[in-house]
Amino acid sequence: MDVEFPRVLLRERSHAWNLAGVAVAGGQLGSGFGTFVRSDGGGFWTCSMSNISLSGRNGIDDRGRQRQANSTKLWRAVRQVADGGVNRMVVWRNDALFVPWPDGAARLPPAIPHDDGSLFSDDTGYYQPVIDVTCDAADLRATSLDINLNRSGDLIGGEAFSIRHDDAGWRIYEIATVEMTGDDTATITFNPPLREDVADDTQLEFDRPRCVMRLTQPSSMNLTVQPWTFNSANVDFVEAPVS
């Protein structure tokens, strides 16, 4: 099972999720403008997280020194798990402001506690999606889906969702167009094309879209530490190949 990048403890100030390799440029025309042709795979996701705070909540003392030390050690541990990009990691996209929450629903997925009402030591709980959207069967490389909005806010395009494929694992898709076909059914178009066939009633994850990634370069989690002060770090990911 792929390890998840611990965004609950390592939070970025800004991030950039973009598709790379979507189109291939042709030769330049006499007008000075070139032509572009869509690549067969529809591109692959890249993710850059910047200014990740290394002042997490773990082990706070009166001057925050232990908090800083623990977060820095967590960063070092995660980069060893990533092993320079050899190992895959599940990275979830901080898209809470753009998620189609149902009317009256909390704006963040609930942190479900233990049965005695307590949370884990980092103040997180168990996770359960709020939004319930399923799709009909579709083939590999499809760029449209018929979906069932069992519990969701309005979709207008631009939303991200993910599917946990049987072989490819978690993969992210971004909606281009939405055509309502009923009170709670719609047809959406999206990119990139499906990484794998999907069956009827496959769940679409809108609450926490996530993707199987790897480090872009072996140096993508390099860390420079300034002792006795609060530090931050950056990381770059690229979508892991579909095996």
Side-chain angles (χ1 to χ4, degrees):
M1 180 178 292
D2 296 315
V3 175
E4 186 167 308
F5 184 81
R7 278 205 63 261
V8 171
L9 298 176
L10 299 175
R11 293 182 178 272
E12 77 279 13
R13 180 166 293 181
S14 63
H15 62 249
W17 283 83
N18 294 294
L19 278 172
V22 175
V24 178
Q28 184 170 316
L29 303 178
S31 62
F33 298 99
T35 58
F36 296 91
V37 179
R38 179 187 172 117
S39 66
D40 186 51
F44 48 89
W45 285 106
T46 62
C47 168
S48 295
M49 297 184 189
S50 302
N51 293 316
I52 297 173
S53 174
L54 298 184
S55 56
R57 294 171 292 183
N58 288 8
I60 299 174
D61 67 8
D62 59 347
R63 299 182 65 181
R65 290 175 179 168
Q66 190 59 43
R67 174 174 58 182
Q68 169 77 0
N70 285 352
S71 294
T72 301
K73 287 189 289 185
L74 173 61
W75 181 270
R76 291 173 173 174
V78 171
R79 71 177 177 179
Q80 296 310 318
V81 172
D83 197 14
V86 173
N87 294 328
R88 310 189 326 171
M89 305 191 80
V90 176
V91 181
W92 56 279
R93 178 166 157 171
N94 182 14
D95 235 22
L97 292 176
F98 315 108
V99 169
W101 302 112
D103 290 342
R107 296 292 134 178
L108 289 172
I112 301 172
H114 302 289
D115 58 6
D116 63 357
S118 64
L119 298 171
F120 290 101
S121 59
D122 61 0
D123 294 331
T124 62
Y126 297 97
Y127 168 72
Q128 178 174 306
V130 173
I131 297 168
D132 182 7
V133 176
T134 57
C135 70
D136 296 344
D139 294 331
L140 169 71
R141 295 188 180 176
T143 55
S144 67
L145 284 174
D146 294 325
I147 63 172
N148 305 295
L149 302 166
N150 305 313
R151 187 168 189 259
S152 171
D154 294 336
L155 298 179
I156 63 173
E159 298 87 359
F161 66 90
S162 58
I163 297 175
R164 189 173 187 175
H165 296 290
D166 291 338
D167 294 325
W170 286 108
R171 301 290 164 163
I172 284 183
Y173 304 94
E174 198 168 79
I175 296 176
T177 64
V178 180
E179 179 184 356
M180 297 302 300
T181 55
D183 292 339
D184 56 2
T185 59
T187 298
I188 59 172
T189 62
F190 57 87
N191 277 309
L194 282 180
R195 302 310 197 194
E196 192 174 307
D197 295 350
V198 295
D200 282 331
D201 296 323
T202 293
Q203 195 77 32
L204 307 187
E205 171 65 50
F206 279 89
D207 297 62
R208 286 183 175 176
R210 65 198 84 173
C211 189
V212 179
M213 316 282 282
R214 61 174 177 81
L215 296 182
T216 304
Q217 301 289 340
S219 60
S220 291
M221 285 192 74
N222 279 3
L223 176 64
T224 299
V225 173
Q226 183 176 352
W228 310 113
T229 187
F230 293 112
N231 293 284
S232 63
N234 305 316
V235 62
D236 295 315
F237 292 104
V238 65
E239 184 176 358
V242 177
S243 56

